[in-house]
Amino acid sequence: MLDHRLEKDTALIGELSISQVRLMRDELTWFVLVPNIPNAVELTDLDFELQTGILEEINFITELLCEFVKYDKINIATIGNVVSQLHIHIIARHKNDRAWPNTIWGTESIDDFKNEQIELWKSRIAKKV
């Protein structure tokens, strides 16, 4: 079951072998992988094979970003202080984004989320899966 905050703040754009791929409702290109593993809180709650699978999914999203987005840095994080359900943030950062060079946590989106992004990323992921 998906945490209600993740459901509210993200849009489902695809399914991988282990995780849902969700797009954060933010002007940044910000993906959230949510493993379909009940009661997982920490990455270390998963056995090594699942951890390896998650890393492959992180690499998949990063390769997708490399193909379609010009960025200065990719941030990958599993914070989980507010939402304990295991989820992995993958964010394309730019030197001119709202928080650079600091972390994005605790900042608010300065531009409206574009719903067209959902369909665009859905099609891109579908072509690669």
Side-chain angles (χ1 to χ4, degrees):
M1 184 165 178
L2 184 65
D3 183 279
H4 73 278
R5 289 162 292 204
L6 287 173
E7 188 167 12
K8 178 179 75 69
D9 293 343
T10 65
L12 179 65
I13 58 169
E15 292 276 348
L16 301 177
S17 297
I18 300 169
S19 305
Q20 293 182 12
V21 181
R22 304 190 70 87
L23 187 64
M24 185 69 87
R25 297 183 184 280
D26 193 285
E27 81 267 3
L28 298 176
T29 306
W30 184 337
F31 292 97
V32 179
L33 292 180
V34 183
N36 294 311
I37 311 294
N39 304 315
V41 174
E42 306 295 344
L43 194 55
T44 53
D45 290 341
L46 309 180
D47 64 31
F48 189 72
E49 184 177 329
L50 283 173
Q51 290 179 33
T52 302
I54 293 292
L55 183 56
E56 289 172 353
E57 293 182 351
I58 291 168
N59 288 342
F60 171 80
I61 296 299
T62 302
E63 289 167 9
L64 200 64
L65 286 168
C66 286
E67 186 174 343
F68 293 107
V69 177
K70 183 175 178 357
Y71 59 83
D72 296 304
K73 178 76 173 85
I74 295 288
N75 288 175
I76 301 169
T78 59
I79 307 299
N81 294 344
V82 175
V83 175
S84 62
Q85 181 177 10
L86 178 59
H87 61 287
I88 299 102
H89 297 269
I90 305 168
I91 312 164
R93 297 291 309 272
H94 306 274
K95 289 182 180 176
N96 63 348
D97 72 34
R98 67 179 181 263
W100 187 272
N102 300 316
T103 64
I104 205 69
W105 315 117
T107 67
E108 291 190 32
S109 184
I110 57 176
D111 194 12
D112 289 338
F113 176 79
K114 308 291 189 274
N115 283 319
E116 306 85 53
Q117 295 293 76
I118 295 170
E119 296 308 315
L120 177 67
W121 285 108
K122 276 184 180 180
S123 68
R124 288 174 174 172
I125 286 175
K127 288 177 185 173
K128 297 286 186 180
V129 175

